Amino acid sequence: MSKLTIRACTRGDANALARLYQQSAAYLRSLGDKGTFHFNADAYLRDGFGEHPAFEGILAELDNKAVGYLLYTFTYDTDRTMRILYVLDLLVDEHARRQSIGRKLMERANEIAKARGAGELFWAVYKN
């Protein structure tokens, strides 16, 4: 039986996240997206850590191997005076899908949102 762990991302996860992100970029290219995909290990380290990180993340590990991640940031709605957890990126390795890993990442994101006082979790997806 495989063991799934969901934990906070660390600096040591830079290469794993970059590898997984490339699957996302390849998928978007397959849909015809002509954009340039800049996210890599260096961007992860530069923008995800330090005094004012642009995002935070959680990592899914199956038997100690990174198989998915969710990156998020918090924003604020002045009209509703409410914090919002905004999911920036969610990916599960194509070889690890159909094991509820994406669902477990979203459940953890929801727990984080509640613990930090957010009244809403926002996630947008591509329509293909």
Side-chain angles (χ1 to χ4, degrees):
M1 182 90 188
S2 296
K3 180 184 176 199
L4 178 68
T5 304
I6 308 287
R7 62 169 177 79
C9 290
T10 67
R11 289 179 178 274
D13 298 321
N15 290 329
L17 263 76
R19 175 184 58 80
L20 290 166
Y21 175 80
Q22 287 307 310
Q23 286 186 30
S24 177
Y27 172 71
L28 294 174
R29 283 188 194 100
S30 78
L31 294 177
D33 190 330
K34 304 265 190 255
T36 305
F37 301 95
H38 296 283
F39 191 76
N40 58 29
D42 291 335
Y44 168 77
L45 291 170
R46 179 191 67 228
D47 298 335
F49 298 91
E51 191 173 335
H52 301 288
F55 59 84
E56 297 176 61
I58 49 179
L59 185 74
E61 293 178 315
L62 200 54
D63 297 329
N64 297 315
K65 181 180 185 228
V67 294
Y69 71 91
L70 184 149
L71 298 181
Y72 61 91
T73 191
F74 282 89
T75 189
Y76 187 77
D77 183 324
T78 55
D79 294 332
R80 297 183 290 166
T81 63
M82 178 176 64
R83 293 173 193 260
I84 300 167
L85 183 145
Y86 184 90
V87 175
L88 301 167
D89 229 0
L90 170 64
L91 181 103
V92 174
D93 186 296
E94 60 186 284
H95 301 295
R97 293 182 185 158
R98 302 269 182 229
Q99 298 182 59
S100 298
I101 295 169
R103 178 183 310 272
K104 292 187 187 312
L105 284 164
M106 288 296 282
E107 287 171 354
R108 179 64 57 87
N110 190 47
E111 291 170 6
I112 292 166
K114 287 179 180 178
R116 303 255 302 259
E120 189 172 276
L121 183 150
F122 182 85
W123 179 38
V125 296
Y126 288 95
K127 179 182 177 185
N128 63 0

